[in-house]
Every structure is written in structure tokens, then in C-alpha cells.
Amino acid sequence: MMQVFFQMEACGDFDVNNRENYMNDKRLNSQERYCSDLFSLLCNKKESVDSLLEKHSKAWKISRMPKTDLAILRLSACELLYLRDIPEAVSINEAVELAKKYGTADSPRYVNAILGRVCAEDGRDE
């Protein structure tokens, strides 16, 4: 889904009605519902997710963030805020692993810090 979110950002297209443009050729198998839920969440909650990420990014506007980091942060933030059946530690760990693979040398620490602050504000207990 991180790649889908990256592509959506690159195209500037967050219209929930354009799901087929981004997901019809993906091999989703058993994760089809999860991916569909995440896609809808980002399309419908993008402004609030981005506002929260920007608030916790300490001096970085969304527009200045590396697009790979932004896609990872949006993915994990949607999980943390709206998919409560995913433990926060699992979501953050997966985000950090994606940041290690696709981001810069600073990305894992940056992603971890922002998501930690998102969780602290959200008051989620786990």
C-alpha cells in the first residue's frame, strides 16, 4: 500500500472513486479488504491525517517531506488512528522497516519519532 500511497501523491489524486486506477493490477489476495480499507481511509481522512503528521513533524511541512516517507507515515497513521485491531507497535515497526528499505538514512528515526508522537497524542493504550 505504501507504493499506492506514493503513486497517489505523485498524481495528486486522492479521489476514493479512482480506486481501480491504483489497485486493479495489485496482487492483494488475502489482504484485499485491508488494502481497500486503507485506500478509503486515506482518501476520506487525508486532511486530518496530514494535519496530525505535520503537527508532529517538528518544522517539516508535508510539502517538504520526502514522498516515500510521507507515504509510509500516511499508511501507518491510518492504521494507528482508524484500524484499532492492529497493535501500535506492529504498525510502527512495519513503518520503520519500510523506511529502512525505501527511505534515506534518516528516514527510520524520523518515521519512528513522528509516529510515536501521534500515538502519544492519540492516547492509545496497548
Side-chain angles (χ1 to χ4, degrees), residues 1-13:
M1 279 307 295
M2 187 274 299
Q3 294 168 334
V4 170
F5 285 6
F6 179 88
Q7 186 178 11
M8 291 167 69
E9 175 67 22
C11 295
D13 181 9

Side-chain angles (χ1 to χ4, degrees), residues 34 38 41 52 56 73-93 95 114-126:
Y34 162 80
L38 276 175
L41 280 168
L52 192 61
H56 293 297
L73 286 165
R74 283 174 171 159
L75 170 63
S76 187
C78 285
E79 288 179 347
L80 293 168
L81 297 169
Y82 306 110
L83 300 179
R84 298 298 183 138
D85 58 325
I86 300 172
E88 73 180 36
V90 171
S91 182
I92 292 172
N93 185 59
I114 292 174
L115 294 174
R117 288 191 288 271
V118 167
C119 287
E121 177 177 313
D122 190 45
R124 192 168 160 185
D125 287 328
E126 292 193 279

